[in-house]
Coordinates of all heavy atoms in Angstrom, one line a residue:
Chain A
Q1285 N 88.6 56.6 94.9 CA 89.6 57.7 95.0 C 90.2 58.0 93.6 O 90.4 59.1 93.2 CB 90.8 57.2 95.9 CG 90.5 57.4 97.3 CD 91.6 56.8 98.2 OE1 92.0 55.7 98.0 NE2 92.2 57.6 99.1
R1286 N 90.4 56.9 92.8 CA 90.9 57.1 91.4 C 90.0 58.0 90.7 O 90.4 59.0 90.1 CB 90.9 55.8 90.7 CG 92.2 55.0 90.9 CD 92.0 53.6 90.2 NE 93.2 52.8 90.4 CZ 94.1 52.5 89.4 NH1 93.9 53.0 88.2 NH2 95.1 51.7 89.7
A1287 N 88.7 57.8 90.7 CA 87.7 58.6 90.0 C 87.7 60.0 90.5 O 87.8 61.0 89.8 CB 86.3 58.0 90.2
T1288 N 87.8 60.2 91.9 CA 87.7 61.5 92.5 C 89.0 62.3 92.1 O 88.9 63.4 91.7 CB 87.6 61.4 94.0 OG1 86.5 60.5 94.3 CG2 87.4 62.7 94.6
Y1289 N 90.1 61.6 92.3 CA 91.4 62.4 92.1 C 91.6 62.6 90.6 O 92.3 63.6 90.3 CB 92.6 61.6 92.7 CG 92.5 61.5 94.2 CD1 93.2 60.5 94.9 CD2 91.7 62.3 95.0 CE1 93.1 60.3 96.3 CE2 91.6 62.2 96.3 CZ 92.3 61.2 97.0 OH 92.2 61.1 98.4
F1290 N 91.1 61.7 89.8 CA 91.2 62.0 88.4 C 90.4 63.3 88.1 O 90.9 64.2 87.4 CB 90.7 60.9 87.6 CG 90.7 61.1 86.1 CD1 91.8 60.9 85.3 CD2 89.6 61.6 85.4 CE1 91.9 61.1 84.0 CE2 89.6 61.8 84.1 CZ 90.7 61.6 83.3
G1291 N 89.2 63.3 88.6 CA 88.4 64.5 88.4 C 89.1 65.8 88.9 O 89.0 66.9 88.3
L1292 N 89.7 65.6 90.1 CA 90.3 66.8 90.7 C 91.5 67.3 90.0 O 91.6 68.4 89.5 CB 90.7 66.3 92.2 CG 91.3 67.4 93.0 CD1 90.3 68.4 93.5 CD2 92.0 66.8 94.2
E1293 N 92.5 66.4 89.8 CA 93.8 66.8 89.2 C 93.7 67.0 87.7 O 94.5 67.8 87.2 CB 94.9 65.8 89.5 CG 95.2 65.6 91.0 CD 95.9 66.8 91.7 OE1 96.5 67.6 90.9 OE2 95.9 66.9 92.9
F1294 N 92.8 66.3 87.0 CA 92.8 66.4 85.6 C 91.7 67.2 85.0 O 91.6 67.4 83.8 CB 92.9 65.0 84.9 CG 94.2 64.3 85.3 CD1 94.3 63.4 86.3 CD2 95.4 64.6 84.5 CE1 95.5 62.8 86.6 CE2 96.6 64.0 84.8 CZ 96.7 63.1 85.9
I1295 N 90.7 67.5 85.8 CA 89.5 68.2 85.3 C 89.3 69.5 86.1 O 89.5 70.6 85.5 CB 88.2 67.4 85.3 CG1 88.4 66.2 84.4 CG2 87.0 68.2 84.8 CD1 87.2 65.2 84.5
I1296 N 89.0 69.4 87.4 CA 88.7 70.6 88.1 C 89.8 71.6 88.2 O 89.7 72.8 87.9 CB 88.2 70.3 89.6 CG1 87.1 69.3 89.6 CG2 87.9 71.5 90.4 CD1 85.7 69.9 89.6
I1297 N 91.0 71.1 88.6 CA 92.1 72.0 88.7 C 92.6 72.6 87.4 O 92.7 73.9 87.3 CB 93.3 71.3 89.5 CG1 92.9 71.2 91.0 CG2 94.6 72.1 89.3 CD1 93.8 70.5 91.9
P1298 N 92.6 71.9 86.3 CA 92.9 72.6 85.0 C 91.9 73.6 84.7 O 92.2 74.7 84.2 CB 92.9 71.4 84.0 CG 93.3 70.2 84.8 CD 92.7 70.4 86.1
I1299 N 90.6 73.3 85.0 CA 89.5 74.4 84.7 C 89.8 75.6 85.6 O 89.7 76.7 85.1 CB 88.1 73.8 85.0 CG1 87.7 72.8 83.9 CG2 87.1 74.9 85.1 CD1 86.4 72.1 84.2
M1300 N 90.1 75.4 86.9 CA 90.4 76.5 87.8 C 91.6 77.3 87.3 O 91.6 78.5 87.3 CB 90.7 76.0 89.2 CG 89.4 75.4 89.8 SD 88.1 76.5 89.9 CE 88.5 77.4 91.4
V1301 N 92.6 76.6 86.8 CA 93.9 77.3 86.4 C 93.5 78.1 85.1 O 93.9 79.3 85.0 CB 95.0 76.3 86.1 CG1 96.1 77.0 85.3 CG2 95.5 75.6 87.3
I1302 N 92.8 77.5 84.2 CA 92.5 78.3 82.9 C 91.6 79.5 83.2 O 91.9 80.6 82.8 CB 91.9 77.3 81.9 CG1 93.0 76.3 81.4 CG2 91.4 78.1 80.7 CD1 92.5 75.1 80.7
S1303 N 90.5 79.2 84.0 CA 89.6 80.3 84.3 C 90.3 81.4 85.1 O 90.1 82.6 84.9 CB 88.3 79.8 84.9 OG 88.6 79.2 86.1
G1304 N 91.2 80.9 86.0 CA 92.0 81.9 86.8 C 92.9 82.7 86.0 O 93.0 84.0 86.2
L1305 N 93.6 82.1 85.0 CA 94.4 82.9 84.1 C 93.6 83.9 83.3 O 94.0 85.1 83.1 CB 95.2 82.0 83.1 CG 96.4 81.3 83.8 CD1 96.9 80.2 82.8 CD2 97.5 82.2 84.2
L1306 N 92.4 83.5 82.8 CA 91.6 84.4 82.1 C 91.1 85.6 83.0 O 91.0 86.7 82.6 CB 90.3 83.7 81.5 CG 90.6 82.8 80.4 CD1 89.3 82.0 80.0 CD2 91.1 83.5 79.1
Y1307 N 90.9 85.3 84.2 CA 90.5 86.3 85.2 C 91.7 87.3 85.4 O 91.5 88.5 85.4 CB 90.2 85.6 86.6 CG 89.2 86.2 87.4 CD1 88.2 85.4 88.0 CD2 89.1 87.5 87.7 CE1 87.2 85.9 88.8 CE2 88.2 88.1 88.5 CZ 87.2 87.3 89.1 OH 86.2 87.8 89.9
I1308 N 92.9 86.7 85.6 CA 94.0 87.6 85.9 C 94.3 88.5 84.7 O 94.6 89.7 84.9 CB 95.3 86.8 86.2 CG1 95.1 86.2 87.6 CG2 96.5 87.6 86.1 CD1 96.3 85.3 88.0
F1309 N 94.1 88.0 83.5 CA 94.5 88.8 82.3 C 93.3 89.5 81.7 O 93.4 90.1 80.6 CB 95.2 87.9 81.3 CG 96.6 87.5 81.7 CD1 96.8 86.2 82.0 CD2 97.6 88.4 81.9 CE1 98.1 85.8 82.5 CE2 98.8 88.1 82.4 CZ 99.1 86.8 82.7
F1310 N 92.2 89.5 82.4 CA 91.1 90.2 81.9 C 91.3 91.7 81.7 O 91.0 92.3 80.7 CB 89.9 90.1 82.9 CG 88.7 90.9 82.5 CD1 87.9 90.5 81.4 CD2 88.3 92.0 83.2 CE1 86.8 91.3 81.0 CE2 87.2 92.8 82.8 CZ 86.5 92.4 81.7
A1311 N 91.9 92.4 82.7 CA 92.2 93.8 82.6 C 93.1 94.1 81.4 O 92.9 95.0 80.7 CB 92.9 94.3 83.9
E1312 N 94.1 93.2 81.2 CA 95.0 93.4 80.1 C 94.3 93.2 78.8 O 94.5 93.9 77.8 CB 96.2 92.4 80.1 CG 97.4 92.9 80.9 CD 97.1 92.8 82.4 OE1 96.1 92.2 82.9 OE2 97.9 93.4 83.2
S1313 N 93.3 92.3 78.8 CA 92.6 92.0 77.6 C 91.8 93.3 77.2 O 91.6 93.5 76.0 CB 91.6 90.8 77.7 OG 90.4 91.3 78.2
L1314 N 91.3 94.0 78.1 CA 90.5 95.2 77.8 C 91.4 96.3 77.3 O 91.0 97.1 76.5 CB 89.9 95.8 79.1 CG 88.7 95.0 79.6 CD1 88.1 95.7 80.8 CD2 87.6 94.9 78.5
Q1315 N 92.7 96.3 77.6 CA 93.6 97.3 77.3 C 93.9 97.3 75.8 O 94.1 98.4 75.2 CB 94.9 97.2 78.0 CG 95.4 98.5 78.5 CD 96.4 98.3 79.6 OE1 96.8 97.2 80.0 NE2 96.9 99.4 80.2
Y1316 N 93.9 96.1 75.2 CA 94.4 96.1 73.8 C 93.3 95.8 72.8 O 93.4 96.1 71.6 CB 95.5 95.0 73.7 CG 96.6 95.3 74.6 CD1 96.9 94.5 75.7 CD2 97.4 96.5 74.5 CE1 97.9 94.8 76.6 CE2 98.4 96.8 75.4 CZ 98.7 96.0 76.4 OH 99.7 96.3 77.3
H1317 N 92.3 95.2 73.2 CA 91.2 95.0 72.2 C 89.9 95.0 73.1 O 89.9 95.4 74.2 CB 91.3 93.6 71.5 CG 91.5 92.4 72.3 ND1 90.4 91.7 72.7 CD2 92.6 91.9 73.0 CE1 90.9 90.7 73.5 NE2 92.1 90.8 73.7
N1318 N 88.8 94.4 72.5 CA 87.5 94.6 73.2 C 87.4 93.7 74.4 O 86.5 93.8 75.1 CB 86.4 94.4 72.2 CG 86.3 93.0 71.7 OD1 87.4 92.4 71.5 ND2 85.1 92.6 71.4
G1319 N 88.3 92.7 74.5 CA 88.3 91.9 75.7 C 87.2 90.8 75.6 O 86.4 90.8 74.8
Y1320 N 87.3 89.9 76.6 CA 86.3 88.9 76.7 C 85.4 89.2 77.9 O 85.7 90.1 78.7 CB 86.9 87.5 76.8 CG 88.1 87.4 77.7 CD1 88.0 87.3 79.1 CD2 89.4 87.5 77.1 CE1 89.1 87.3 79.9 CE2 90.5 87.5 77.9 CZ 90.4 87.4 79.3 OH 91.5 87.3 80.1
A1321 N 84.3 88.5 78.0 CA 83.4 88.8 79.1 C 83.9 88.1 80.4 O 84.3 86.9 80.4 CB 82.0 88.2 78.8
L1322 N 84.0 88.9 81.4 CA 84.5 88.3 82.7 C 83.5 87.5 83.4 O 83.8 86.5 84.2 CB 84.9 89.5 83.6 CG 85.5 89.2 84.9 CD1 86.8 88.3 84.7 CD2 85.9 90.4 85.7
E1323 N 82.2 87.7 83.2 CA 81.1 87.1 83.9 C 81.2 85.6 83.9 O 81.3 84.9 84.9 CB 79.8 87.6 83.5 CG 78.7 87.3 84.4 CD 77.4 88.1 84.2 OE1 77.5 89.1 83.4 OE2 76.4 87.9 84.8
P1324 N 81.2 84.9 82.7 CA 81.2 83.4 82.7 C 82.5 82.9 83.3 O 82.5 81.9 84.0 CB 81.1 83.1 81.2 CG 81.4 84.3 80.5 CD 81.0 85.5 81.3

Side-chain angles (χ1 to χ4, degrees):
Chain A
Q1285 280 176 307
R1286 274 176 183 251
T1288 310
Y1289 297 159
F1290 178 83
L1292 183 74
E1293 297 287 345
F1294 295 98
I1295 299 174
I1296 303 269
I1297 285 174
I1299 287 176
M1300 292 302 275
V1301 169
I1302 291 165
S1303 58
L1305 283 171
L1306 288 172
Y1307 213 134
I1308 287 178
F1309 289 111
F1310 174 72
E1312 272 75 11
S1313 89
L1314 286 182
Q1315 222 163 3
Y1316 303 112
H1317 55 94
N1318 63 328
Y1320 39 85
L1322 183 59
E1323 195 161 352

